[in-house]
Amino acid sequence: MFGNLFAEEEDEDKPVGMEPFGQASRRYAPSKGTGPPAPRQASRLCGILNQGATCYLNALLQTLHHTPEFREAIFSLKPEELGSLEDKDNAGSKVRVIPLQLQRIFSTLLLLDQEAASTTSLTDSFGWTDNQELHQHDVQELNRILCGAIESSLVGTSGSDLIDRLYRGTIRDIIECCECGNVRELEEPFFDLMLSVCGADSLEEALSSCFQHVELMEGANCYHCTVCARLVAATKESKLRSLPPFLTLSLLRFNFDAVKCKRYKETGPFTFPLHLHTGPYCEVAKESEEFEYDLYSVIVHKGGCYGGHYHAFIRDIDGLGVWSSTQKQEEIVKKKESNLGPFPELDPVEFCKLVICQAGPHGLTMEAMCKTMQEVMGVSWKKKYRKQHGTLTKFLQAHPDMFIFNKDVHWISLREPGDSGNAGTINGSCLMAEECYRQNLRPHRAGSAEPLDQPNNNVFSVEDVWPVGGWFDFDDSQVRPISERELEQQFEGKESAYMLFYRKSTLKRPVEAFGNPWYKVPQNLTDEVDEINDNLLKRRHNHELQLNSINVSVHLSPHYELRDGGLQARSPEGDAALTMVLDRRMSVAQLKSELLQLLGSWMGHFEVGLAKHLPAGLHVYPGLCGDEQRTLVDCGIEDGCSLFVWDGQKVQGKTIPTGVDNEPVLLNLHRMSVVQPECRAFRKNMTLRQLRCSLARDMGVTAGALRISRGWPKVQVELTSRQDSETLRGLSLIDGDSLGLVVQGAKGDMVLAHTQTVMPGTLWIRVVDGLEDCSTKEGAGEAMVPFQEDTVRRCKKNPISTIKASAINKLQLDTNISDTCCLRVDAGTGLLLTPLSEEERAEEANLRNGCTLVLKDGVAPTADQLFLHFTIGSTLGSELEMIVDKSCSVRECLRLVLDKAGLTGCEWHLCRVSLCGQTQGPLQDEDITLEHLHICSGDHLHVMEGKLLPKGFLRLSVWLMEDGMRQESDKHADIQGIMGYEKLTKLEEVQISCQASLDDLKLQVMTLLDMEQIRVQSLFRLRLWLLEGKHYSRILQNSQKQLKKLGLCSNSQIGVQLLDKEETLRPTDMVLRLRRHIPGLRIYTKTEDLVFDTAQDCTARSLLLSVAMHVKLSAEQLLIAKHFPTTHEWLIIEDAPQARKIKKKRAKQNLRQFPYHLKNGDVIGVKNKQTDPSPDFSSFEDDMQREQIKTMAEQQRRQSASKDMSTPRSPRPEVPLSISVADFR
């Protein structure tokens, strides 16, 4: 009836830790990256990792582990009784796996210095699979099944009666006949009591209704009396005959409403006491300590009837954890108002002394002190004193002569007069608790009879800092101390108590067990955990060294000189740098000492500065000046940084400008009279006036006659004299930008447009002579065919043959060539369109005013013919043009092309070519006509050599992504740039199995690059992109993944990006495209790559800092936004708004999630707030695309308005809970 009851529930307001319905996300300990597991936190208690949806198992295991009698009974089982885990796979061996795994998990929870332990081995011993671990079950059901499995596993051992001895009780049912008085008694055992929550307000009331209420059996519920031999009225009552040492109570909170046919959870108030007296519910009711029970564990269910999350509130009976007495702090706080009276305006030192004195001679915790201050003053320390005195922690540490602050246990006390030591009043049990756990001291080993030392009478007792019976919340891997008041919050609501565990008050723990996690742990398990702890310690030490080790390059000033605006290597071999491995925690003084030992022969004083390779050369930043006790991290030195060693002033006798303001920017200067641009470097703090004067002086002209335009030659924006006071940085000029220089009045620098004398109002068509062999007059290569307005109208009605005849006449050609030539439209890209049919009219050919026609050899196709472009082989381009009939089949067309090209053989096939120049799928059916394939005039077909690929193989097109600095010419490199690259050059096509890995594909790509004389040193210097329509789609990552799992298919296009250094993109790295907005214009600069590390977090702040570091501006000056190519919208990336006075902790912002959905290849726009404070990032292209999208969306909305898209979700099948146990009888 309650199938799928405990599946994960989809709830908008579900708390952290509830796995979503249909999938279970694993929750791990907060270990970063691939480092070792984190050590135990301040509570010194170990949590348990969630394997997917095993929170119910974790809560029950923590309860069993903190039942010392059960734990020690499991530890008492000898290896001779249980067997060895090494023999569990041997045939015929009877190894009791479940008890052995329980011993291991208990010893791990006690001794392993790890924040959270794994239960994988335990669940494997249950016979569970990954599917079982991803389904949540009822913890009450698990409790019964696990107890049964343990009992079955211990048959024939000394612990065979473990479950009966600890958890078994009996109930006596009495039925008395109302007519004859016959009494029938029935005794049955129980291991847990099932109590209904419905209709009861407290645990006592629920127990009373079960064991103090007399039920009258009458009517339809009559009792069949054996003496009366008929159905009679009777009374029935139940009593507890015997009680176990540990009483387990299961609360029935889930019910079914038969009227509504709906499941629901009882969330009403249901109280339970910390101390339970069970005498009134027993068969022999009397006052005795045997009937007294203390609460020690509460398993809480958080969620609804369709799923949720389990965690446990457990009392630390043996004092194994570090717990602060929150109850004592609350009692101290309540007395403050009466003791302190009205708050006077005191000095903060005197006020802190007053608060600590009122807490007692031994001080109080930091949390209690902050709370007391806020209650007394009405405001917190942060609002009243922080602006002037800093945080409370720093303030207390700044007065060591008055206060003693222990940062490990967060305890504050007053220093006694004349006491100069470090102990103060906290030198008692507080330090004992701290040292005992932090240094892993063993206060009492198993088997020792030596008691613990008693604390001195003049200090706090152990209970104040390390109390017996402190409560903790075990929520999977997280463990935190709680107060008893938090138990009251579990009386009702969606997060409420589900199982209660009581222990007899007469059960006392031995003194030697207090605070001793090694108590009664077998020696073999202790040695095993000690070995693991030693390995963990070594791993953490090595990991710490690895995290703090950085590689830096050291550049020496004697090897450099100032040239072209930057430091250039003097040696023709290039940059000469030394590589050093440093610890970033070392100080600047230690760095200089190591450099002095490394240099040896260096004479005189030297300084160390940060250096960076810029396009203009090496640039130095004064990053290591000032306090030499600062660490390298504080100075901004990270892995891969460069250091420059010099005298601090000059290099080779020249003063070196340093700092961010003096960074050189490399600009391309274009002059109309000079073919090649000139590259020069200028300081970024140079004003436009200074730049204009410098250039005018070099050109020998006046500054007023020099006009400077940016964005040359594509988008020309003149930099006027009103901008002369702005710096190059303020103008957002970056490396590689182009400036056009025009001198007014100079012929060589003026752009002269081609003009021809025509009458006003005349419209014309330009015709160019493109015939290979013709008799023309000298200088008659083109002609303007003018038409007046009325003539144009007649022209549009006249056929193309009339225009051709007029053009032949204007070009003074022989009229006999009219039958052997045709007119073709010049597309303006160097390509000619399909020949114009002479039967068409100008209006049908869509001829416009000012268009260009080319007169070419050949005839124009008729209405029943197609003019097609064919490319033969692997190189794309219009190599062959033919006219074929529309009724021609694919096979006949292929044969005509091969005959004209002079090719033989049958291993050829035709493929389509898209408008973007990409080869698409082959024409498989060779008997179908071109007309049926919807092939039109002007289409491109690719004649490919070879048969179709066999099944399971891919044919991939490989393109080299070349930057604009390359000078090689390639007739196939005509594709506009992607990712800031000027062109794509096609290499070859590769055939590879879809089962191959990404590394295998890179090896084939390296072979292609070798054929192009491009040497690549390793696979890690290649970055592969998946291209779609000559535009990038995504980065191909995970080198060992198969190509078919990477989403590659036949004819996929692969872009190859060459890297300057080896790159291993981690799963947390994200490659983004930065585009800088040009102030005052709705356009952007060339795209730049940014590798964004998301290992720590993926928030707006971290991305903004990465962008700021990349563009060399402060984060406060920048505004960034993400571009959505599907909607052509920009969304500003900013920190999530923080709600005020929220009770629940807000989840950390993640840009991968809504609303940004950041991923590889996304475009990030960058604005400088100082030059353009507007939040609008859109461009002209975005406006046009949005209008098209809006029109298409309106059409789709009308088509889908009548469709009902809602479909009911099928329920997930229920997975039964079971534990496999071998037969040991």
Side-chain angles (χ1 to χ4, degrees):
M1 182 174 66
F2 294 98
N4 204 27
L5 177 61
F6 296 97
E8 289 78 354
E9 179 185 24
E10 288 184 298
D11 192 358
E12 294 181 357
D13 59 346
K14 68 186 175 199
V16 176
M18 294 177 60
E19 295 79 9
F21 184 89
Q23 66 180 12
S25 58
R26 293 177 176 265
R27 301 171 62 198
Y28 298 95
S31 298
K32 302 296 182 183
T34 58
R40 299 196 181 197
Q41 300 304 314
S43 65
R44 305 304 302 167
L45 294 175
C46 185
I48 300 178
L49 289 174
N50 193 326
Q51 297 186 49
T54 57
C55 55
Y56 64 102
L57 173 64
N58 296 346
L60 183 59
L61 283 178
Q62 290 285 14
T63 299
L64 295 177
H65 169 249
H66 285 86
T67 306
E69 290 76 7
F70 179 84
R71 182 182 69 230
E72 292 166 4
I74 294 294
F75 283 150
S76 66
L77 299 173
K78 304 300 182 183
E80 296 79 11
E81 299 177 286
L82 302 180
S84 175
L85 290 174
E86 298 176 355
D87 302 331
K88 64 178 181 178
D89 297 328
N90 297 340
S93 62
K94 290 188 176 182
V95 180
R96 306 172 193 268
V97 183
I98 294 179
L100 287 172
Q101 293 295 351
L102 285 175
Q103 285 185 344
R104 286 177 173 267
I105 189 65
F106 287 163
S107 61
T108 298
L109 293 174
L110 285 172
L111 305 176
L112 185 63
D113 186 19
Q114 190 169 309
E115 185 181 21
S118 174
T119 56
T120 304
S121 300
L122 179 62
T123 53
D124 289 345
S125 69
F126 292 167
W128 291 1
T129 62
D130 288 340
N131 186 43
Q132 184 73 41
E133 294 159 353
L134 296 177
H135 288 79
Q136 194 178 82
H137 295 280
D138 184 16
V139 69
Q140 297 176 358
E141 180 185 8
L142 174 67
N143 180 51
R144 293 189 173 190
I145 294 177
L146 181 58
C147 288
I150 294 174
E151 188 175 21
S152 300
S153 301
L154 297 181
V155 172
T157 66
S158 59
S160 58
D161 62 340
L162 173 62
I163 302 299
D164 285 350
R165 176 162 44 88
L166 297 182
Y167 297 100
R168 187 178 186 275
T170 55
I171 298 177
R172 179 191 179 198
D173 293 330
I174 304 173
I175 302 177
E176 182 178 356
C177 179
C178 294
E179 295 188 5
C180 66
N182 179 45
V183 177
R184 180 187 177 187
E185 296 184 0
L186 179 64
E187 183 176 314
E188 58 180 350
F190 73 88
F191 294 91
D192 63 333
L193 295 178
M194 312 291 291
L195 301 177
S196 177
V197 176
C198 182
D201 295 334
S202 64
L203 178 61
E204 294 86 346
E205 187 177 346
L207 289 171
S208 178
S209 62
C210 290
F211 302 110
Q212 287 184 323
H213 176 68
V214 178
E215 178 185 1
L216 179 61
M217 306 172 65
E218 59 181 355
N221 194 29
C222 285
Y223 169 70
H224 185 274
C225 181
T226 55
V227 177
C228 300
R230 59 188 176 87
L231 293 175
V232 296
T235 60
K236 178 183 178 182
E237 63 176 335
S238 300
K239 291 291 184 180
L240 296 173
R241 169 162 286 185
S242 63
L243 291 172
F246 298 92
L247 184 60
T248 303
L249 304 177
S250 299
L251 308 182
L252 303 179
R253 287 193 175 271
F254 300 102
N255 288 321
F256 185 81
D257 191 338
V259 177
K260 297 181 180 180
C261 292
K262 185 179 179 181
R263 296 174 288 200
Y264 68 96
K265 178 181 178 180
E266 293 284 353
T267 58
F270 184 85
T271 63
F272 48 87
L274 293 175
H275 183 76
L276 178 64
H277 179 62
T278 59
Y281 320 115
C282 296
E283 183 179 15
V284 181
K286 62 179 181 179
E287 297 293 335
S288 174
E289 291 185 357
E290 293 295 327
F291 299 100
E292 304 296 331
Y293 283 83
D294 294 325
L295 181 68
Y296 76 98
S297 178
V298 179
I299 294 181
V300 178
H301 180 263
K302 180 165 46 178
C305 60
Y306 292 97
H309 178 66
Y310 289 99
H311 62 107
F313 291 169
I314 302 177
R315 185 161 61 96
D316 185 15
I317 298 173
D318 281 352
L320 301 176
V322 176
W323 179 86
S324 60
S325 179
T326 55
Q327 183 178 2
K328 178 175 287 295
Q329 296 169 13
E330 292 170 1
E331 293 175 357
I332 293 173
V333 170
K334 290 179 182 179
K335 301 177 183 179
K336 290 305 176 225
E337 255 186 70
S338 58
N339 292 340
L340 292 176
F343 172 65
E345 290 294 337
L346 293 177
D347 180 77
V349 176
E350 298 299 328
F351 181 62
C352 290
K353 285 184 178 181
L354 182 60
V355 173
I356 297 174
C357 289
Q358 292 296 329
H362 309 294
L364 73 169
T365 63
M366 173 67 76
E367 181 182 359
M369 185 171 182
C370 293
K371 188 174 181 180
T372 304
M373 287 183 170
Q374 184 165 3
E375 289 188 358
V376 173
M377 294 188 297
V379 293
S380 63
W381 173 278
K382 179 179 179 181
K383 292 183 178 180
K384 190 169 184 65
Y385 293 118
R386 181 174 181 177
K387 186 175 182 180
Q388 183 178 1
H389 300 283
T391 63
L392 180 58
T393 302
K394 291 184 178 179
F395 178 77
L396 295 173
Q397 292 177 343
H399 297 81
D401 56 331
M402 301 180 184
F403 306 106
I404 300 175
F405 176 63
N406 190 306
K407 62 181 180 180
D408 295 321
V409 295
H410 297 281
W411 196 272
I412 308 164
S413 61
L414 288 176
R415 186 176 297 281
E416 298 178 359
D419 181 14
S420 60
N422 296 324
T425 59
I426 200 171
N427 59 353
S429 57
C430 181
L431 289 182
M432 182 195 72
E434 176 195 355
E435 293 298 323
C436 183
Y437 268 90
R438 286 198 171 274
Q439 300 182 12
N440 286 332
L441 296 178
R442 302 188 176 188
H444 206 79
R445 289 301 303 265
S448 175
E450 186 177 342
L452 289 173
D453 296 336
Q454 296 298 325
N456 199 332
N457 293 330
N458 61 349
V459 296
F460 264 171
S461 64
V462 175
E463 286 82 358
D464 292 320
V465 177
W466 198 0
V468 179
W471 285 87
F472 291 88
D473 178 15
F474 291 84
D475 190 355
D476 289 339
S477 59
Q478 302 297 321
V479 183
R480 65 179 183 91
I482 61 173
S483 63
E484 292 180 354
R485 287 190 176 183
E486 292 193 42
L487 294 176
E488 300 176 1
Q489 300 175 7
Q490 315 307 320
F491 289 164
E492 59 182 328
K494 279 193 172 183
E495 184 177 2
S496 51
Y498 192 58
M499 289 188 73
L500 305 175
F501 296 84
Y502 286 86
R503 57 183 286 128
K504 282 190 174 182
S505 302
T506 56
L507 295 175
K508 303 296 182 182
R509 297 292 297 151
V511 177
E512 57 269 19
F514 172 74
N516 184 6
W518 297 270
Y519 182 69
K520 290 194 176 180
V521 180
Q523 187 63 39
N524 62 319
L525 295 177
T526 302
D527 297 339
E528 182 178 343
V529 176
D530 286 346
E531 183 178 355
I532 298 176
N533 282 333
D534 293 340
N535 292 333
L536 280 175
L537 188 61
K538 294 178 182 178
R539 289 178 57 192
R540 288 172 185 148
H541 177 70
N542 295 334
H543 183 64
E544 190 73 16
L545 290 178
Q546 183 180 0
L547 288 178
N548 290 285
S549 296
I550 57 176
N551 295 323
V552 297
S553 299
V554 180
H555 304 267
L556 306 180
S557 60
H559 299 159
Y560 290 85
E561 62 181 359
L562 184 63
R563 187 172 66 246
D564 297 333
L567 290 172
Q568 308 289 342
R570 300 177 62 188
S571 173
E573 286 79 12
D575 191 3
L578 303 175
T579 302
M580 295 183 63
V581 180
L582 304 175
D583 190 335
R584 58 181 177 181
R585 296 170 294 183
M586 70 189 315
S587 64
V588 176
Q590 293 174 331
L591 171 63
K592 290 186 175 181
S593 176
E594 290 199 12
L595 285 174
L596 188 60
Q597 296 179 5
L598 180 66
L599 300 177
S601 60
W602 186 279
M603 300 298 293
H605 173 74
F606 71 91
E607 292 289 341
V608 182
L610 290 173
K612 183 179 179 181
H613 284 280
L614 299 178
L618 197 68
H619 187 68
V620 183
Y621 302 84
L624 303 185
C625 300
D627 185 11
E628 294 192 352
Q629 297 305 317
R630 291 185 302 164
T631 62
L632 302 187
V633 179
D634 297 334
C635 297
I637 299 179
E638 296 294 340
D639 189 35
C641 284
S642 297
L643 301 179
F644 190 74
V645 181
W646 60 322
D647 60 3
Q649 295 180 353
K650 297 182 179 181
V651 173
Q652 304 297 330
K654 294 183 180 180
T655 303
I656 304 300
T658 62
V660 177
D661 293 336
N662 290 310
E663 283 183 355
V665 56
L666 196 64
L667 302 177
N668 297 319
L669 305 180
H670 295 261
R671 294 183 59 187
M672 297 301 102
S673 58
V674 181
V675 178
Q676 293 294 334
E678 178 186 2
C679 294
R680 288 184 59 183
F682 303 93
R683 298 194 314 274
K684 287 188 177 181
N685 61 352
M686 174 183 286
T687 63
L688 180 60
R689 186 192 309 276
Q690 295 172 340
L691 175 65
R692 193 188 304 273
C693 294
S694 175
L695 294 175
R697 184 171 55 254
D698 296 341
M699 297 172 62
V701 298
T702 62
L706 181 62
R707 294 167 54 190
I708 303 177
S709 300
R710 67 182 304 169
W712 194 277
K714 297 181 179 179
V715 182
Q716 302 179 33
V717 181
E718 183 177 355
L719 302 177
T720 63
S721 58
R722 289 179 297 178
Q723 298 173 285
D724 280 352
S725 60
E726 296 190 31
T727 63
L728 302 188
R729 181 187 300 276
L731 293 172
S732 299
L733 290 176
I734 61 174
D735 293 307
D737 281 355
S738 297
L739 297 181
L741 308 180
V742 177
V743 180
Q744 296 180 358
K747 295 182 178 180
D749 288 334
M750 297 299 294
V751 180
L752 301 177
H754 174 78
T755 60
Q756 183 169 348
T757 305
V758 294
M759 296 180 63
T762 301
L763 305 179
W764 50 270
I765 294 177
R766 179 169 173 258
V767 180
V768 179
D769 180 9
L771 299 177
E772 296 181 359
D773 185 14
C774 59
S775 58
T776 64
K777 292 185 178 181
E778 184 179 356
E782 63 179 50
M784 308 299 294
V785 182
F787 296 93
Q788 299 297 325
E789 290 194 14
D790 54 349
T791 310
V792 171
R793 296 190 185 99
R794 288 197 303 268
C795 172
K796 291 188 175 181
K797 297 180 180 178
N798 292 336
I800 299 297
S801 58
T802 303
I803 301 177
K804 185 174 72 172
S806 177
I808 292 175
N809 184 29
K810 287 283 184 180
L811 293 171
Q812 302 179 10
L813 301 177
D814 188 356
T815 57
N816 295 328
I817 67 171
S818 178
D819 296 334
T820 60
C821 65
C822 61
L823 288 176
R824 301 177 65 173
V825 178
D826 186 356
T829 59
L831 299 178
L832 299 180
L833 302 184
T834 304
L836 300 177
S837 176
E838 297 187 4
E839 301 173 0
E840 287 185 321
R841 299 187 180 273
E843 186 176 11
E844 297 172 348
N846 197 23
L847 294 184
R848 298 180 180 180
N849 176 38
C851 66
T852 301
L853 301 181
V854 180
L855 192 63
K856 295 290 292 184
D857 292 316
V859 296
T862 63
D864 297 330
Q865 293 177 330
L866 299 174
F867 184 86
L868 302 177
H869 304 270
F870 293 93
T871 300
I872 301 177
S874 59
T875 305
L876 288 177
S878 299
E879 297 182 356
L880 184 63
E881 297 174 346
M882 283 185 59
I883 297 177
V884 296
D885 294 334
K886 291 183 178 178
S887 58
C888 181
S889 66
V890 175
R891 181 178 287 106
E892 294 171 350
C893 179
L894 179 61
R895 178 51 53 194
L896 291 174
V897 174
L898 295 178
D899 292 342
K900 187 172 182 178
L903 300 174
T904 59
C906 58
E907 294 187 354
W908 297 88
H909 63 275
L910 287 177
C911 296
R912 291 181 183 269
V913 178
S914 67
L915 295 177
C916 299
Q918 286 185 320
T919 301
Q920 297 180 333
L923 303 179
Q924 298 283 359
D925 193 349
E926 295 185 345
D927 295 326
I928 197 170
T929 63
L930 300 179
E931 185 176 10
H932 283 82
L933 291 175
H934 303 287
I935 295 178
C936 307
S937 287
D939 285 354
H940 286 69
L941 297 179
H942 194 177
V943 182
M944 301 286 292
E945 186 176 8
K947 295 183 179 180
L948 297 180
L949 289 177
K951 186 177 181 181
F953 274 75
L954 305 176
R955 179 182 285 116
L956 303 178
S957 179
V958 182
W959 296 79
L960 177 63
M961 304 168 67
E962 298 180 285
D963 57 31
M965 301 303 293
R966 295 177 62 90
Q967 300 296 329
E968 295 87 357
S969 61
D970 192 338
K971 63 181 178 180
H972 302 301
D974 56 354
I975 301 162
Q976 195 62 24
I978 316 175
M979 288 288 297
Y981 291 80
E982 295 295 335
K983 60 181 180 179
L984 289 178
T985 304
K986 184 171 182 181
L987 299 177
E988 290 289 344
E989 290 186 347
V990 297
Q991 297 182 8
I992 190 171
S993 171
C994 61
Q995 303 288 339
S997 65
L998 183 59
D999 278 349
D1000 298 332
L1001 176 59
K1002 285 186 176 182
L1003 288 175
Q1004 292 204 24
V1005 170
M1006 288 182 65
T1007 304
L1008 296 180
L1009 294 175
D1010 289 339
M1011 296 175 61
E1012 297 291 333
Q1013 304 299 321
I1014 301 175
R1015 304 300 179 188
V1016 181
Q1017 297 181 0
S1018 69
L1019 298 178
F1020 300 105
R1021 291 203 175 189
L1022 292 179
R1023 183 192 292 168
L1024 300 187
W1025 291 80
L1026 178 62
L1027 306 180
E1028 291 182 0
K1030 294 298 182 299
H1031 296 286
Y1032 77 95
S1033 174
R1034 56 185 171 87
I1035 297 177
L1036 300 180
Q1037 291 177 269
N1038 197 338
S1039 59
Q1040 300 303 321
K1041 204 168 186 178
Q1042 294 181 352
L1043 298 183
K1044 66 177 182 179
K1045 294 183 179 180
L1046 290 172
L1048 298 184
C1049 59
S1050 191
N1051 296 324
S1052 292
Q1053 296 183 348
I1054 305 299
V1056 181
Q1057 183 179 355
L1058 304 180
L1059 304 177
D1060 297 333
K1061 59 181 180 180
E1062 292 189 355
E1063 174 187 76
T1064 303
L1065 290 178
R1066 299 167 295 178
T1068 57
D1069 286 341
M1070 188 181 299
V1071 179
L1072 303 176
R1073 302 187 304 151
L1074 291 188
R1075 301 184 63 185
R1076 306 192 193 189
H1077 188 271
I1078 299 179
L1081 300 176
R1082 302 183 67 189
I1083 56 177
Y1084 289 86
T1085 61
K1086 191 169 60 176
T1087 308
E1088 308 170 37
D1089 285 1
L1090 171 66
V1091 179
F1092 176 38
D1093 184 9
T1094 62
Q1096 298 296 331
D1097 53 16
C1098 186
T1099 60
R1101 183 63 182 173
S1102 60
L1103 176 59
L1104 183 61
L1105 292 176
S1106 298
V1107 173
M1109 185 178 299
H1110 182 81
V1111 302
K1112 297 301 180 183
L1113 290 176
S1114 65
E1116 289 72 16
Q1117 294 178 318
L1118 297 182
L1119 187 65
I1120 59 176
K1122 179 195 169 180
H1123 183 256
F1124 291 87
T1126 56
T1127 60
H1128 289 271
E1129 297 284 350
W1130 291 86
L1131 181 60
I1132 296 178
I1133 300 177
E1134 55 188 356
D1135 290 332
Q1138 297 294 329
R1140 300 180 62 186
K1141 297 183 179 180
I1142 54 176
K1143 294 183 179 179
K1144 295 183 180 179
K1145 184 178 180 181
R1146 184 179 293 274
K1148 196 173 185 179
Q1149 185 188 27
N1150 189 350
L1151 295 182
R1152 295 190 186 92
Q1153 300 174 357
F1154 178 85
Y1156 302 105
H1157 300 289
L1158 199 65
K1159 63 183 184 302
N1160 274 318
D1162 278 350
V1163 175
I1164 303 297
V1166 183
K1167 269 191 176 186
N1168 190 337
K1169 294 180 182 178
Q1170 295 181 350
T1171 58
D1172 189 357
S1174 173
D1176 183 19
F1177 279 79
S1178 61
S1179 62
F1180 294 109
E1181 182 183 0
D1182 293 328
D1183 295 341
M1184 293 185 295
Q1185 295 294 336
R1186 280 197 296 265
E1187 288 297 328
Q1188 296 182 6
I1189 293 172
K1190 185 177 180 181
T1191 304
M1192 296 176 58
E1194 182 64 22
Q1195 295 176 356
Q1196 294 178 359
R1197 187 189 64 80
R1198 293 174 180 176
Q1199 294 176 359
S1200 62
S1202 59
K1203 296 181 181 180
D1204 184 13
M1205 304 302 293
S1206 60
T1207 55
R1209 184 180 62 185
S1210 57
R1212 192 172 66 175
E1214 181 183 3
V1215 178
L1217 178 64
S1218 62
I1219 296 178
S1220 302
V1221 184
D1223 187 7
F1224 297 104
R1225 290 177 294 181

